[in-house]
Amino acid sequence: MPGKQVFRDYLAERGLKSTRQRELILDEFLRCATHPSTEELYLRLRRKYPGIGYSTVHRTLKLFAECGIAAALNFGDGQTRYESSSREQHHDHLVCRSCGAIIEFEDPRIEELQNEVAARHGFHIENHRLELYGRCGKCAGS
Amino acid sequence: MPGKQVFRDYLAERGLKSTRQRELILDEFLRCATHPSTEELYLRLRRKYPGIGYSTVHRTLKLFAECGIAAALNFGDGQTRYESSSREQHHDHLVCRSCGAIIEFEDPRIEELQNEVAARHGFHIENHRLELYGRCGKCAGS
DNA sequence: TTTCTTGCAAAAGCTTTGCACACCG
DNA sequence: CGGTGTGCAAAGCTTTTGCAAGAAA
């Protein structure tokens, strides 16, 4: 569980505290295969731990993003979604406009071309986002 | 002015009306070199035509997006921005996190790899977004 | 005239914040 | 204990909508 340790270290370094809620939220978040919004994660948590507050979930997700174990995403539906970045290498997304499916992919050749473009403009890349919108195999037929 | 004609045709086809406001908003929008948010475009317009309403600007920008002469963008600052898509080919963005500069670029090799990835997943691309976040040449030095 | 559009104000959503109480170290 | 975190409610923002009056066709 590298993500959990990174988070604990981050808290410790800054004099922040490790709490029951933060642990629960992190566990639930890491358990998500999807890209949950604050709302979704909050609802999932509340089923198991009814006392938990929306703001706590919100603030904790921001902490995750700050310490780098999560990344904030926005697929254009007006909600911020978070994805665990500790799982593996960076990846990008295919987003189906019809059924909402999100397929992850990665392609080092694209990344390399991105670096080349950035270099050409004297730009230093910190991160990027690439999303392809359209219809997945199932929906393209219909 | 291909954009203007596309918009007029779009309105005509659907029995919608061409109005003074829609013309003004389109003119101002096409005149923007930047990627204005609804708010920004509204403020610019209001300076010249004080009577204009925010909702009219908002609704008109959505019309532009519907008929394809504009694209909605979201750079993560909580505001939807619009960019004219009639100007030229599709392009992507380098976004400077320090000074806010937005540099446009295009690279057909990246587009081709995107198509390849999509094909591999049986996915049909309708459009995409690629943004590289980091620091521009000026800001990287500081 | 008939239908669509506008501008205002109000409503909706999602995100963020203030505060009193609770908890961690 | 002292300082941080939590949960609730309220506030902020941006986006969206209802409606009466106004403008196209």
Side-chain angles (χ1 to χ4, degrees):
Chain A
M1 282 291 158
K4 296 188 78 157
Q5 201 49 54
V6 169
F7 185 53
R8 286 196 190 117
D9 291 350
Y10 180 83
L11 294 177
E13 276 167 28
R14 317 219 157 189
L16 304 178
K17 294 171 182 174
S18 180
T19 66
R20 195 177 105 81
Q21 287 90 335
R22 287 179 177 166
E23 290 290 326
L24 292 176
I25 295 168
L26 180 50
D27 284 344
E28 190 64 36
F29 176 63
L30 292 175
R31 199 173 294 127
C32 283
T34 58
H35 304 76
S37 64
T38 308
E39 177 84 18
E40 283 165 13
L41 196 60
Y42 165 65
L43 291 175
R44 290 178 60 144
L45 282 157
R46 207 182 48 174
R47 254 182 266 145
K48 303 181 188 171
Y49 320 102
I52 207 155
Y54 183 97
S55 354
T56 304
V57 177
H58 170 257
R59 287 185 281 227
T60 303
L61 284 170
K62 292 194 81 169
L63 276 180
F64 293 170
E66 270 173 48
C67 75
I69 65 171
L73 303 174
N74 186 312
F75 292 135
D77 63 348
Q79 291 196 213
T80 303
R81 295 173 178 282
Y82 291 86
E83 133 182 307
S84 168
S85 44
S86 54
R87 284 185 292 168
E88 69 220 53
Q89 266 300 78
H90 174 80
H91 55 259
D92 298 301
H93 301 92
L94 292 158
V95 182
C96 178
R97 282 252 155 92
S98 183
C99 69
I102 295 171
I103 303 165
E104 298 176 350
F105 73 90
E106 53 190 291
D107 192 317
R109 295 169 302 166
I110 293 181
E111 313 261 324
E112 190 173 327
L113 288 173
Q114 287 174 5
N115 291 332
E116 191 185 310
V117 167
R120 200 154 65 222
H121 289 84
F123 195 91
H124 175 68
I125 297 182
E126 285 165 2
N127 56 59
H128 74 264
R129 53 190 288 178
L130 169 58
E131 285 135 28
L132 309 180
Y133 297 92
R135 290 173 174 268
C136 70
K138 284 181 214 150
C139 297
S142 65
Chain B
M1 282 289 158
K4 296 189 77 155
Q5 201 48 53
V6 169
F7 184 54
R8 286 197 189 117
D9 291 350
Y10 180 83
L11 294 178
E13 276 168 27
R14 316 219 157 189
L16 303 178
K17 292 171 182 173
S18 180
T19 66
R20 195 177 104 82
Q21 287 91 332
R22 286 178 176 166
E23 291 289 328
L24 293 176
I25 294 168
L26 180 51
D27 284 342
E28 189 66 34
F29 176 63
L30 293 176
R31 198 173 297 127
C32 282
T34 59
H35 305 76
S37 63
T38 308
E39 176 85 18
E40 283 165 12
L41 195 60
Y42 165 64
L43 291 176
R44 289 177 62 143
L45 282 157
R46 206 182 49 174
R47 254 182 266 144
K48 302 182 190 171
Y49 320 101
I52 207 154
Y54 183 96
S55 356
T56 304
V57 177
H58 171 258
R59 288 185 281 227
T60 304
L61 283 170
K62 292 194 81 168
L63 277 180
F64 293 171
E66 270 173 47
C67 75
I69 65 171
L73 303 174
N74 186 312
F75 292 135
D77 63 347
Q79 291 198 214
T80 303
R81 296 173 177 283
Y82 291 86
E83 131 184 308
S84 167
S85 43
S86 55
R87 283 186 293 167
E88 67 220 56
Q89 268 298 80
H90 174 81
H91 56 259
D92 299 301
H93 301 93
L94 292 158
V95 182
C96 179
R97 282 252 154 92
S98 183
C99 70
I102 295 171
I103 304 165
E104 299 176 349
F105 73 91
E106 53 189 291
D107 191 317
R109 295 169 302 164
I110 293 180
E111 314 260 324
E112 190 173 325
L113 288 173
Q114 287 173 3
N115 291 332
E116 192 186 309
V117 166
R120 199 154 65 222
H121 289 86
F123 194 92
H124 176 68
I125 297 181
E126 285 166 1
N127 57 58
H128 74 263
R129 55 189 285 180
L130 169 58
E131 287 135 27
L132 309 180
Y133 296 93
R135 290 173 173 270
C136 69
K138 283 181 215 149
C139 296
S142 61

